[in-house]
Amino acid sequence: MTISRGARYALTSLMGVGLAFIYVPLSVVIINSFNASRTFSWPPEQYTTIWWSKAIDNPGVREALRWSVLAGLLATAIALVLGTCLAFAVSRYQFFGREVISLLVVLPISLPGIVTGLALNSAFTRQLGVSTGLLTVVVGHATFCIVIVYNNALARLRRMGTSLQEASMDLGASGFTTFRLITLPNLASALFAGALLAFGLSFDEIVVTTFTAGPGIQTLPIWIYNNLFRPNQAPIVNVVAATLVVISIIPIYLSQKLSQDSTSGGRI
Amino acid sequence: MEARMHKKRLFSVIAATSAAALILSGCGGSSSSTSGVPKVDMMKSLGKGEGQVNIVAWAGYVENGSTDPKVDWVTDFEKSTGCKVNVKNGATSDDMVALMKTGEYDVVSASGDASLRLIYGGDVAPVNTKLIPNYADIFDNLKMQPWNSVDGVAYGVPHGRGANLLAYRTDIVKPAPTSWGSVFDVNSPYKGKITAYDSPIYIADAALYLMKTKPELGIKYPYALDQKQFDASVELLKAQKPLIGEYWGDYLKHVASLKSGATVLGTTWQVNINLAQGEKTKVEGIKPVEGSTGWSDTWMISSKAKHPNCAYQWMNHIVSPAANAGVAEWFGEAPSNAKSCDLTADKNHCATFHASDDAYWKDVYYWNTPTEKCLDGRKDAKCIPYAEWVKAWSSLRNA
Amino acid sequence: MIDQISDSLHKRPRLRLTALLSAPLLWLVVAYLGALATLLISAFFTIDSFTGNIVQQFTLTNFSDMFTDAAYRNVVLRTLGIAIAVTLMCTVLAIPMAFYMAKVAKPRTRKLLVALVLTPLWASYLVKIYSWRSMLEPRTGVVDWLLGPIGIHSPGFGITAVIIGLTYLWLPYMILPLFAGMERLPNNLLDASGDLGAHNWYTFRKVIFPLLFPSLVAGSMFTFSLSLGDYITTQIIGGKLQMLGSVVYQNFSINLPFAATISFIPVTIMGIYLYLVRRSGALENM
């Protein structure tokens, strides 16, 4: 494709500006995790690695990490099952209300988190009398993770078509065997990409979690929120953040490789 | 035919869901009670601890060493009773009332503008003071007060009391302020860097200022305001709004702002001054000439407490001489236990905070809950109840 | 045994369909929509002014309060304005970036660029906003330190800071659908437009933009809805700014019915938005 030199130059510099916009604040976070001042006076006058060692020892961080991972895994598992079921139903069958499904499934993620969180909280605590805890957090997260898995699975199922499935059944395999040996392997990478994104979303979620986690549970975002301004803990928050940024390269790379047909990876 | 059947099924699902939702919403919640205090049972005897206690407290009241390793009266409690402490800081009294209503917390340190609401809302239970050995040593003029007892029944254990102060950056605000007028002055040179407390109760601070500077309004008690007095107070706050940089509720954010200079002047608590000074900020707090609003806090136990034995053990612990001294020094308030005065690290603490100096408290107006019946005793006027304070504050903040 | 079940299911497509649909629909319709409905119903209740307990009598007081008080009208308009501003800024930033990534960059660089754009999504939302607090601190922040010498100063905390912060947070959600959309644009279309004499800007307006529209709508749905309900960013870098989310958050514990009333607004706005979006086909494009 031919692009004039002027346009190319303009686009490249805009891209550079954009990337700078994205990465300068993140670099500030990483630099501040080495900032000796507890209140991050800028520019840092002294550098230290003491916060990193404190972060590793910090019991609050470790517990919060445990809760986040646990909630994320459970929510992702539920979302995987429900999202895939839904994707199968929508892609393979015709039924009344099929168009409404795509609207319904997108609703938890398109309504502001505060409304979802509020609704779930009042339903749990006032109507059902269930006290908030891990269960309620997982329910909250799974609800908006369903759409991620659903979209990925749906896109793949549509691309896959039904011909392989039909051929397999013509050759005598039962429905279940076909599913196990034909459909699932083809679906696997899309599901994995969806699961990865769902987990990421659940891991970073703060708003709905604030409403659905009770006094006993502190997921990592909640721990960060509570410690953001505490002079002793704020540097540790920076360390945690810096770690998250660095570690996240792995799942990003993985999900990139796997979701070739839904490069609009991101939130969906 | 198929489509119609499916349609019917879909509609019946929706109808059933809506019906269920309507029915369920009818079942939840409790009915209101303004005719008297709801009957809640008092604990008769102490049993074994349940292993944990969930506390709603003012920031700085429940310290376990994570803010400052030397400030810790929780760890020894946890060790000796086996009750693990989970604490949630309430930013304002409204926050605390709401948190207690969820029924998920066992104990709350309630100020006067929360305590009565909790009592009348059935959210707290009477306290059996016989189960709290340290109750005997508490200053008598804090026990059985209008904000922590009803009809001779004690609803809490007094914690301590203090005044809201005027904070100012000594290196930026010159000359040093002496009056609340400095935060209401529309020509202030510190416009945009002034702070105010983010709660409807702050209207009383405006009323207090008017009480001293506009006596023609006839305000006698900042929590008893008739329509005219209330409107005047709100007008003052509206005029103040352009001066405000941040309304603070999160004490740590407030301290961070004091340190960075985003805030240089405004209402605060002693604990915030202490924290900021610990961060090498040049800041001081004073009680201005007009006096100040303040608070006298009470530890109360939830009517739905899931861990009542640990709750009672906590209440006893926090008013024990050592712990009470620790909190009083850390937070910067007068302790409630008379024996604490001997245990404070600073031997002058009780004197500095006027623990037994009644004259000091004459112009400190503890947070209280405004009701339609005027709290200053007026029979001929109707005062504005707290619900209206909340509405007016919300309008002010959102405009 | 499993084969028997799968055989009997094979003969009954409707049973299979019901089995597939029941669990997710139960979750979404009964649990989620049910909770939502219960919340919105409580908007018609009030609370006892002294004790704060909910009085379950049907009344429209909350709604009349909300509509008559100018303060709430202001909050709604202000929040809408912020959401629109954020969406526009994201669009303006995202289009050239997406175009570069899709059309100008070499394939190897493209993968790297996508990864670079995606990485911030995993950095905690809170930390990103807090880093902006560091950046925008008046006089001592990073912005003043970096750009002060050329005369640009931090706007301080307030509505500008919130718009910048929210744009920063949601930018990747706008870049990715646009990138996907641009990838699907056939190169020869753009060449043809150029061959026919259109200069770049004309090509963009008449060829690229209309084809990108569904992706744009898909991306804007997130920037819009996320900005509409946000309250944390306002708390951290907004100074005394109040948004819809702040009002809901401040009211949910002391006056749930009123919080539910306010919630009607973002729900309605997003409902309308979703309806319009559905007609444009963007839901298929996410």
Side-chain angles (χ1 to χ4, degrees), chain A residues 91-121:
Chain A
S91 66
R92 300 271 190 256
Y93 300 87
Q94 295 270 34
F95 54 92
F96 173 77
R98 206 171 69 148
E99 295 78 31
V100 183
I101 297 275
S102 53
L103 205 63
L104 184 62
V105 103
V106 135
L107 208 60
I109 217 174
S110 53
L111 285 185
I114 195 169
V115 176
T116 306
L118 199 53
L120 288 176
N121 173 285

Coordinates of all heavy atoms in Angstrom, one line a residue, chain A residues 91-121:
Chain A
S91 N -24.5 -20.2 18.2 CA -23.9 -20.4 16.9 C -24.5 -21.6 16.2 O -24.6 -21.7 14.9 CB -22.4 -20.6 17.0 OG -22.2 -21.8 17.7
R92 N -25.1 -22.6 16.9 CA -25.5 -23.8 16.2 C -27.0 -23.9 16.1 O -27.5 -24.8 15.4 CB -25.0 -25.0 17.0 CG -23.5 -25.1 17.1 CD -22.9 -25.8 15.9 NE -21.5 -26.1 16.1 CZ -20.5 -25.5 15.5 NH1 -20.8 -24.5 14.7 NH2 -19.3 -25.8 15.8
Y93 N -27.7 -23.1 16.8 CA -29.2 -23.2 16.8 C -29.9 -21.9 16.4 O -29.3 -20.9 16.6 CB -29.7 -23.7 18.2 CG -29.1 -25.0 18.6 CD1 -27.9 -25.0 19.3 CD2 -29.8 -26.2 18.4 CE1 -27.4 -26.2 19.7 CE2 -29.2 -27.4 18.8 CZ -28.0 -27.4 19.5 OH -27.5 -28.6 19.9
Q94 N -31.1 -22.1 16.0 CA -32.0 -21.0 15.8 C -33.1 -21.0 16.8 O -33.7 -22.0 17.0 CB -32.7 -21.1 14.4 CG -31.7 -21.0 13.2 CD -31.5 -19.6 12.8 OE1 -31.6 -18.7 13.6 NE2 -31.4 -19.4 11.5
F95 N -33.2 -19.9 17.5 CA -34.4 -19.9 18.5 C -34.8 -18.5 18.7 O -34.0 -17.5 18.4 CB -34.0 -20.6 19.8 CG -32.8 -20.0 20.4 CD1 -32.8 -19.0 21.3 CD2 -31.5 -20.6 20.1 CE1 -31.7 -18.5 21.9 CE2 -30.3 -20.1 20.7 CZ -30.4 -19.0 21.6
F96 N -36.0 -18.4 19.2 CA -36.5 -17.0 19.5 C -35.6 -16.3 20.5 O -35.3 -16.9 21.5 CB -37.9 -17.1 19.9 CG -38.5 -15.8 20.4 CD1 -38.9 -14.8 19.5 CD2 -38.5 -15.4 21.7 CE1 -39.3 -13.6 19.8 CE2 -39.0 -14.2 22.1 CZ -39.4 -13.3 21.2
G97 N -35.3 -15.1 20.3 CA -34.6 -14.3 21.3 C -33.1 -14.5 21.2 O -32.3 -14.1 22.0
R98 N -32.7 -15.1 20.0 CA -31.2 -15.3 19.9 C -30.5 -13.9 19.8 O -29.4 -13.8 20.3 CB -31.0 -16.0 18.6 CG -29.7 -16.8 18.6 CD -29.6 -17.7 17.4 NE -29.4 -17.0 16.2 CZ -28.7 -17.4 15.2 NH1 -28.1 -18.6 15.3 NH2 -28.6 -16.7 14.1
E99 N -31.1 -12.9 19.2 CA -30.4 -11.6 19.1 C -30.4 -11.0 20.5 O -29.5 -10.2 20.7 CB -31.2 -10.7 18.1 CG -31.2 -11.1 16.7 CD -32.2 -12.3 16.4 OE1 -33.2 -12.3 17.1 OE2 -31.9 -13.1 15.6
V100 N -31.4 -11.3 21.3 CA -31.4 -10.6 22.6 C -30.2 -11.1 23.4 O -29.7 -10.4 24.3 CB -32.7 -10.9 23.3 CG1 -32.8 -10.2 24.7 CG2 -33.9 -10.5 22.5
I101 N -29.8 -12.4 23.2 CA -28.7 -13.0 24.0 C -27.5 -12.1 23.9 O -26.8 -11.9 24.9 CB -28.4 -14.4 23.5 CG1 -29.6 -15.3 23.6 CG2 -27.2 -14.9 24.2 CD1 -29.7 -15.9 25.0
S102 N -27.1 -11.7 22.7 CA -25.9 -10.9 22.6 C -26.0 -9.6 23.4 O -25.0 -9.1 24.0 CB -25.5 -10.6 21.2 OG -26.6 -10.0 20.5
L103 N -27.2 -9.1 23.5 CA -27.4 -7.9 24.3 C -27.3 -8.2 25.8 O -26.6 -7.5 26.5 CB -28.8 -7.3 24.0 CG -29.0 -5.8 24.2 CD1 -28.1 -5.0 23.3 CD2 -30.4 -5.5 23.9
L104 N -27.9 -9.3 26.1 CA -28.0 -9.7 27.5 C -26.6 -10.0 28.1 O -26.2 -9.6 29.2 CB -28.9 -10.9 27.7 CG -29.1 -11.5 29.1 CD1 -29.9 -10.4 29.9 CD2 -29.9 -12.7 29.0
V105 N -25.8 -10.7 27.3 CA -24.5 -11.1 27.7 C -23.5 -9.9 27.9 O -22.6 -10.0 28.7 CB -24.0 -12.2 26.8 CG1 -22.9 -11.7 25.9 CG2 -23.5 -13.4 27.5
V106 N -23.8 -8.9 27.1 CA -22.9 -7.7 27.1 C -23.3 -6.8 28.3 O -22.5 -6.0 28.7 CB -23.0 -7.0 25.8 CG1 -23.1 -5.5 25.9 CG2 -21.8 -7.4 24.9
L107 N -24.5 -6.9 28.8 CA -25.0 -6.0 29.8 C -24.2 -5.9 31.0 O -23.9 -4.8 31.4 CB -26.5 -6.5 30.2 CG -27.4 -5.4 30.7 CD1 -27.6 -4.3 29.6 CD2 -28.8 -6.0 31.0
P108 N -23.7 -7.0 31.6 CA -22.9 -6.8 32.9 C -21.7 -6.0 32.7 O -21.2 -5.4 33.6 CB -22.6 -8.3 33.3 CG -23.6 -9.1 32.6 CD -23.9 -8.4 31.3
I109 N -21.2 -6.1 31.4 CA -19.9 -5.4 31.2 C -20.1 -4.0 30.7 O -19.2 -3.1 30.8 CB -19.0 -6.2 30.3 CG1 -17.6 -6.1 30.7 CG2 -19.2 -5.8 28.9 CD1 -16.7 -7.0 30.0
S110 N -21.3 -3.7 30.1 CA -21.5 -2.4 29.6 C -22.2 -1.4 30.6 O -22.1 -0.2 30.5 CB -22.3 -2.4 28.3 OG -23.5 -3.2 28.5
L111 N -22.9 -2.0 31.6 CA -23.4 -1.1 32.6 C -22.3 -0.8 33.6 O -21.4 -1.6 33.8 CB -24.5 -1.9 33.4 CG -25.8 -2.0 32.8 CD1 -26.8 -2.7 33.8 CD2 -26.4 -0.7 32.3
P112 N -22.3 0.4 34.1 CA -21.2 0.8 34.9 C -21.0 -0.2 36.1 O -22.0 -0.6 36.7 CB -21.6 2.2 35.5 CG -22.5 2.7 34.4 CD -23.2 1.5 33.8
G113 N -19.8 -0.5 36.4 CA -19.5 -1.4 37.5 C -20.2 -1.1 38.8 O -20.6 -2.0 39.5
I114 N -20.4 0.2 39.0 CA -21.0 0.5 40.3 C -22.4 0.1 40.4 O -22.9 -0.4 41.4 CB -20.9 2.0 40.5 CG1 -21.2 2.3 42.0 CG2 -21.7 2.8 39.6 CD1 -20.8 3.8 42.4
V115 N -23.1 0.1 39.2 CA -24.5 -0.4 39.2 C -24.6 -1.9 39.4 O -25.4 -2.4 40.2 CB -25.2 0.0 37.9 CG1 -26.6 -0.6 37.8 CG2 -25.2 1.5 37.7
T116 N -23.7 -2.6 38.7 CA -23.6 -4.1 38.9 C -23.3 -4.4 40.3 O -23.9 -5.3 40.9 CB -22.6 -4.7 37.9 OG1 -22.8 -4.3 36.6 CG2 -22.6 -6.2 38.0
G117 N -22.3 -3.8 40.8 CA -21.9 -4.1 42.2 C -23.0 -3.8 43.2 O -23.2 -4.6 44.1
L118 N -23.6 -2.6 43.0 CA -24.7 -2.3 43.9 C -25.8 -3.3 43.9 O -26.4 -3.7 44.9 CB -25.2 -0.9 43.5 CG -26.0 -0.1 44.5 CD1 -25.2 0.0 45.8 CD2 -26.3 1.3 43.9
A119 N -26.2 -3.7 42.6 CA -27.3 -4.6 42.5 C -27.0 -5.9 43.2 O -27.8 -6.5 43.9 CB -27.6 -4.8 41.0
L120 N -25.8 -6.5 42.9 CA -25.4 -7.7 43.5 C -25.3 -7.6 45.0 O -25.8 -8.5 45.7 CB -24.0 -8.2 42.9 CG -24.1 -8.7 41.5 CD1 -22.7 -9.0 41.0 CD2 -25.0 -9.9 41.3
N121 N -24.8 -6.5 45.5 CA -24.6 -6.4 46.9 C -26.0 -6.4 47.6 O -26.2 -7.1 48.6 CB -23.8 -5.1 47.2 CG -23.8 -4.8 48.7 OD1 -24.8 -4.4 49.3 ND2 -22.7 -5.0 49.3

